[in-house]
Amino acid sequence: MSGAVLVAVAAAVGNLLQGWDNATIAASVLYIKREFNLESQPAVEGLIVAMSLIGATLVTTCSGAVADWIGRRPMLIISSVLYFLSGIVMLWAPNVYILLLARLLDGLGIGLAVTLVPLYISETAPPEIRGSLNTLPQFTGSGGMFLSYCMVFVMSLTEAPSWRLMLGVLTIPSLVYFALTVFFLPESPRWLVSKGRMLEAKKVLQRLRGREDVSGEMALLVEGLGVGGETSFEEYIIGPDNDLVGDHELSVDKDKIKLYGTEQGQSWVARPVTGQSTIGLVSRHGSMASKSGLVDPLVTLFGSVHERLPDTGSKGSMLFPHFGSMFSVGGNQPRHEEWDEESLAPREGDDYASDAGGGGDSDDNLHSPLISRQTTSIEKGMGPTNHGSLVSMRNNSLLGGDPASSTGIGGGWQLAWKWSERDGQDGHKEGGFKRIYLHQEGVPIPGGSIVSIPGGDVPADSEFIQASALVSQPALYSRDLIQQHHPVGPAMVHPAAASRKGTTWSDLFEPGVKHALVVGVGIQILQQFSGINGVLYYTPQILEQAGVGVLLSNLGLSSASASLLISGLTTLLMLPSIAVAMRLMDISGRRTLLLTTIPILILSLVILVLGSLVNFGSVVNAAISTGSVVLYFCSFVMGFGPVPNILCAEIFPTRVRGLCIAICALTFWIGDIIVTYSLPVLLKSIGLSGVFGMYAVVCVIAWIFVFMKVPETKGMPLEVITEFFSVGAKQAAAAKDN
C-alpha cells in the first residue's frame, strides 16, 4: 500500500503550509506593527492576522460543491497556486493594504487545503490504514509550525529581522506542493467513478494498491453511488457445497448463493438462516433503546460490527484461508456485456461519451460488478438454473478482507450480488438484483466438530462460517431496464448516465446524510469551543510564569526571540503525541480515542482553574500550570485535534461528500473566528478561571455527545459506513414514530 501512503503524504503538504503560515504570521506581526506604526491601531493589527481566517471561511462556502463538480485534484492545485501567489505578494507588500490582500489569498489557499486534504486522503486510502493516513494532516500541520518557528527564531537573532522574508519563504514549500499536485497526485478514484470515468479510476486504484486486480474495489466504488434504498439484515451460513444440512430448517423460500472454486467440482454455498442476523438484532435493540434518548441506535449498530470482528481485528478475517481462488465465473457461458466493451461506443439512445481510449485499453475485470444474465446462474435445489442467485466474483477467499482479494473490500467486509427474481402469486415477478455487504460473525469452525446454529446443523468434517449480510438495492439498478433484452448486467446503468443529474441541496435531507451532518457539524462546534485557542493564547504567559522566559533572557535572548523559542518548544511537544495517535487511530479507533482523551482535557482544564484560583506559591503554581498545558496539548492532538476531520471525511456518501465536508469545515472556521475574538472579551469579563471553567464544561458536553452520537468507523469501507448511517437514521426515525 506504499502508493496510497505516498499520495497521502504528498497531499498533507498542504496542511504543512497551513501550519507554516500560522507560525510565521504570529512571529512576523511583531515586526510588521513596528514598520507600519500599528501600536495605536490594534484593529488593523488584528485584521492582518484575521484576514486568512476570513479568506478560508469565504472559500469554504463553495469549495465542496466545486470539488464535487470539477474534482478534488484541481482544487488542490488551485490551493498550491494561491499559497505561492500569497507568498510572492507578501514578499513584496509595500503597504498594509497589499499585505491584507496577500493574507486574503493565503486564507483562500488554507481553506481549500483544510477542507479537501482529509476528503482526498479518505477517498484514496484503504480502510485498514485510513485513520492513520488521515492523521497525517495534523502531524504535518504541527511539523510545519515547528519548522517555521525554528526559521523565524534564527531570523530574529539577526540585527534587522525582515518580516517580508519571513512571510515570503512560503513560496518555496508552496512550489514543492504545486509540483506534487500537478505531477504526482492522481484524481480521487471515487470521484472518477461518480463521473463514469471507469478506466481512469481503475488505473488510479492499481497505482494506489500496487496490484492489477482491483475489480472488487471498483465494484465497491460503483455501489457507493447509491445509498439509502430499502435495506435488510440477513444471516448466511457459508461452507462447502452439500455440507450444510437441515434444509427443512433453512428458509426454503429464499435463494441460496452458490460460490464456485477454480478446481473442478469444488464449490461452496451461502444459505440464508431463519431469523435475523446478529447485527440486525443489535440494531433492533438499539432502536428500542433509542426511545429513552440515551444512545443513538447508529452507535450500537456500528459497535456490533466491531464486537463481532474475529481476533485479527479490522485488518481482515480468515475465512477459508486455504481454499485458494474461489470465485471465478463458472461454466463456459459467454460474456456479452462486459463494462468496457459496453463503454467503447455509446449505446443507442445514450448521449454520454465513453472514456475508453480504444480496444487495446479494454478492461477485462470491470465486468465483475455488472453480472450479466448469461453469467448469472440460478439454482434452487436440483431444479433448473434460472431461479436463484450466484455471486460472480474471482480471486482469493470469500470474506478474507485481504487487500489483495478481488472481492474483499476491507475491514473483513465482502461485496457480493444476488439475483433472486421469482414468480409471485399474482403472476408478477418478485425479488430482483440485490447487493450484499457480507461481514463475518465469529471465526471458522474447523472440521471434526458438530455445531448447532440457528437454522441448521453443520456436520462433522466440514468448515463453515456465519456471516451477517446487509442486503440492499444496487446503486445503478433500474426497474425499467429489467424488461430489456440487452441490459448492461442485470438492469444496470453506466455511471456516466447516473452522474448527469449531479448533486442537489435536496440530497442533504436524505435521512442518512442528515444524520451524518448532525454528527459532523456537532463535533466541529464542540472541538472549537473545547479551549484549544484559549490554551494556545495563554501558553506563553504560563511558561513565562514558570521561569522559562527569565532563563532564556539570561542566555542573552531578546523577549521576541524567547517568545518564538517557547512557542517552537510547545509545538515540538505535540509531534510525539500525534505520532502515537497515528498508530492508535486504526487500532483503538476514533470513538475510543475521543472517549479516552476528552476526560484528560477536562482534568487539565480543571487543574488550570484551580491553579489560577488558589495560591500554592509561585513555583508550585507555575509547575502545575505548565504540566497542565503540556497534558492538554498532548491529549488534544491525540483525539479532539485530528478525529473530527477524519470522521467528517468518512461519514458522507460519495455524491455529496464534498458539499457536506465543506459545511463541516465552514462550521470549523466560523467557530474559530468566534472563539478567537471572544477570548479577550471573556478574559476581561469572567477572568482566566472563568474561561477555562467554561471550556471544561464544553468538554463534558463533548464527551456526552461522542458517547451518544459518534459511531466507531475504524477499518470500515466508506460505502459501508454511509449505508449504515442510512439504515441507522431510518431505524431511529421509525423508533420515534412508534
Side-chain angles (χ1 to χ4, degrees):
M1 298 182 184
S2 59
V5 174
L6 292 176
V7 164
V9 171
V13 173
N15 294 78
L16 183 146
L17 297 180
Q18 179 212 3
W20 182 288
D21 176 76
N22 288 344
T24 50
I25 191 60
S28 59
V29 75
L30 300 173
Y31 306 101
I32 292 172
K33 63 182 181 181
R34 293 178 190 172
E35 178 173 332
F36 295 123
N37 299 316
L38 300 179
E39 286 84 354
S40 60
Q41 302 179 59
V44 177
E45 178 187 345
L47 192 59
I48 291 173
V49 178
M51 208 63 183
S52 62
L53 286 178
I54 295 172
T57 305
L58 290 175
V59 77
T60 301
T61 58
C62 61
S63 62
V66 176
D68 284 337
W69 174 39
I70 68 172
R72 286 51 163 140
R73 179 172 170 267
M75 299 297 280
L76 294 179
I77 294 174
I78 293 172
S79 172
S80 66
V81 172
L82 289 169
Y83 274 128
F84 177 76
L85 291 177
S86 67
I88 290 293
V89 177
M90 286 188 288
L91 185 61
W92 168 56
N95 54 55
V96 172
Y97 305 105
I98 299 297
L99 179 59
L100 289 175
L101 173 63
R103 296 294 301 158
L104 180 65
L105 292 174
D106 185 58
L108 298 177
I110 289 174
L112 291 178
V114 170
T115 303
L116 298 176
V117 168
L119 179 147
Y120 178 82
I121 294 177
S122 283
E123 292 190 339
T124 55
E128 294 82 4
I129 58 173
R130 187 178 60 238
S132 298
L133 294 186
N134 235 339
T135 312
L136 276 172
Q138 181 83 19
F139 186 85
T140 56
S142 297
M145 291 179 67
F146 174 69
L147 293 175
S148 178
Y149 276 126
C150 291
M151 180 197 70
V152 295
F153 170 72
V154 173
M155 288 184 175
S156 71
L157 300 178
T158 61
E159 292 184 3
S162 171
W163 61 264
R164 289 181 177 85
L165 186 59
M166 291 179 183
L167 295 174
V169 171
L170 179 68
T171 57
I172 298 175
S174 65
L175 278 177
V176 175
Y177 187 43
F178 175 78
L180 289 172
T181 55
V182 172
F183 300 110
F184 183 73
L185 293 185
E187 182 54 87
S188 161
R190 282 178 167 84
W191 183 85
L192 290 172
V193 167
S194 74
K195 301 302 179 184
R197 295 159 63 177
M198 310 307 298
L199 285 174
E200 292 179 57
K202 181 205 170 188
K203 290 175 182 177
V204 171
L205 274 180
Q206 287 174 330
R207 171 186 166 188
L208 293 174
R209 304 296 179 255
R211 64 178 188 271
E212 290 297 314
D213 187 2
V214 291
S215 56
E217 192 165 359
M218 283 295 297
L220 174 69
L221 303 195
V222 173
E223 293 299 342
L225 300 180
V227 178
E230 293 183 8
T231 305
S232 62
F233 288 101
E234 298 177 7
E235 184 165 346
Y236 294 125
I237 309 170
I238 304 174
D241 199 5
N242 300 323
D243 274 354
L244 296 179
V245 298
D247 283 349
H248 61 283
E249 297 183 42
L250 294 174
S251 302
V252 295
D253 291 335
K254 294 187 178 180
D255 305 312
K256 68 178 181 181
I257 304 171
K258 192 162 187 177
L259 315 172
Y260 293 95
T262 53
E263 298 180 13
Q264 185 175 3
Q266 188 180 47
S267 61
W268 296 263
V269 291
R271 301 183 182 177
V273 181
T274 303
Q276 197 172 22
S277 72
T278 304
I279 294 179
L281 291 172
V282 172
S283 173
R284 187 175 63 181
H285 174 73
S287 297
M288 292 185 292
S290 70
K291 294 178 182 179
S292 63
L294 293 178
V295 179
D296 194 315
L298 189 70
V299 174
T300 308
L301 186 61
F302 274 85
S304 68
V305 173
H306 297 289
E307 289 170 4
R308 305 296 297 186
L309 279 174
D311 292 339
T312 50
S314 65
K315 300 293 183 184
S317 60
M318 295 296 295
L319 282 182
F320 306 114
H322 58 277
F323 284 170
S325 181
M326 288 180 59
F327 302 133
S328 58
V329 177
N332 298 317
Q333 298 142 335
R335 299 195 325 235
H336 294 301
E337 290 91 27
E338 293 191 10
W339 193 314
D340 286 80
E341 289 178 5
E342 169 271 331
S343 67
L344 291 176
R347 287 182 288 129
E348 184 178 354
D350 284 343
D351 57 359
Y352 61 84
S354 167
D355 62 357
D361 210 10
S362 178
D363 172 13
D364 64 353
N365 283 334
L366 292 185
H367 75 278
S368 293
L370 303 177
I371 310 169
S372 66
R373 286 184 187 272
Q374 287 78 8
T375 59
T376 303
S377 166
I378 307 223
E379 179 183 50
K380 212 170 186 181
M382 299 298 295
T385 60
N386 60 357
H387 289 293
S389 62
L390 166 79
V391 181
S392 175
M393 297 176 287
R394 295 174 295 137
N395 299 334
N396 223 302
S397 61
L398 170 62
L399 295 178
D402 182 355
S405 169
S406 66
T407 52
I409 56 176
W413 288 89
Q414 185 77 27
L415 176 60
W417 300 265
K418 70 175 181 178
W419 180 256
S420 57
E421 185 181 78
R422 55 187 177 271
D423 294 328
Q425 295 179 353
D426 57 357
H428 291 87
K429 298 292 185 182
E430 295 179 356
F433 193 50
K434 295 291 184 181
R435 171 186 69 210
I436 310 173
Y437 290 128
L438 289 167
H439 185 270
Q440 177 180 341
E441 293 193 348
V443 295
I445 306 299
S449 62
I450 299 178
V451 184
S452 178
I453 60 175
D457 292 328
V458 178
D461 302 321
S462 68
E463 181 173 298
F464 80 98
I465 196 67
Q466 287 178 260
S468 290
L470 187 63
V471 183
S472 56
Q473 195 164 286
L476 305 179
Y477 174 79
S478 171
R479 295 186 183 277
D480 296 334
L481 290 180
I482 203 169
Q483 305 300 328
Q484 295 184 13
H485 298 292
H486 49 83
V488 184
M492 298 287 277
V493 183
H494 192 283
S499 68
R500 283 200 298 257
K501 72 171 190 175
T503 303
T504 61
W505 286 99
S506 61
D507 292 332
L508 300 181
F509 296 96
E510 192 273 326
V513 176
K514 197 161 52 172
H515 203 104
L517 276 172
V518 171
V519 174
V521 171
I523 199 168
Q524 291 286 3
I525 292 174
L526 291 168
Q527 182 210 46
Q528 283 303 305
F529 287 88
S530 65
I532 182 62
N533 287 329
V535 177
L536 280 171
Y537 180 88
Y538 185 57
T539 296
Q541 182 180 340
I542 291 175
L543 296 179
E544 183 73 26
Q545 291 176 350
V548 177
V550 175
L551 176 63
L552 295 176
S553 297
N554 292 336
L555 295 176
L557 297 179
S558 65
S559 60
S561 297
S563 175
L564 295 174
L565 184 58
I566 289 172
S567 298
L569 292 174
T570 304
T571 307
L572 181 62
L573 292 173
M574 300 181 184
L575 297 178
S577 299
I578 302 173
V580 172
M582 289 177 66
R583 173 64 179 161
L584 296 178
M585 198 63 68
D586 290 308
I587 298 175
S588 300
R590 295 83 157 124
R591 173 181 166 87
T592 302
L593 279 177
L594 286 176
L595 292 177
T596 304
T597 56
I598 291 177
I600 302 176
L601 298 182
I602 297 170
L603 177 64
S604 58
L605 288 169
V606 169
I607 294 175
L608 282 172
V609 171
L610 293 176
S612 63
L613 292 177
V614 182
N615 185 10
F616 297 105
S618 59
V619 176
V620 175
N621 276 30
I624 290 175
S625 299
T626 303
S628 299
V629 166
V630 171
L631 185 64
Y632 181 93
F633 278 140
C634 293
S635 300
F636 185 87
V637 297
M638 287 182 64
F640 231 162
V643 171
N645 284 340
I646 294 175
L647 277 174
C648 289
E650 292 177 331
I651 60 179
F652 301 109
T654 300
R655 67 181 187 276
V656 294
R657 187 172 290 126
L659 181 59
C660 290
I661 200 173
I663 293 173
C664 295
L666 185 61
T667 304
F668 169 88
W669 289 116
I670 292 175
D672 191 3
I673 292 173
I674 292 173
V675 171
T676 300
Y677 288 96
S678 64
L679 182 60
V681 177
L682 290 173
L683 285 173
K684 288 183 180 179
S685 58
I686 60 177
L688 187 63
S689 59
V691 170
F692 284 158
M694 184 180 71
Y695 291 156
V697 171
V698 173
C699 286
V700 172
I701 297 172
W703 190 92
I704 296 172
F705 179 83
V706 171
F707 181 78
M708 293 175 58
K709 291 288 185 182
V710 178
E712 181 55 74
T713 59
K714 68 174 181 178
M716 297 179 68
L718 298 181
E719 289 71 17
V720 176
I721 292 172
T722 54
E723 192 72 51
F724 267 63
F725 261 92
S726 178
V727 173
K730 290 177 180 178
Q731 290 181 343
K736 290 180 181 179
D737 293 340
N738 293 332

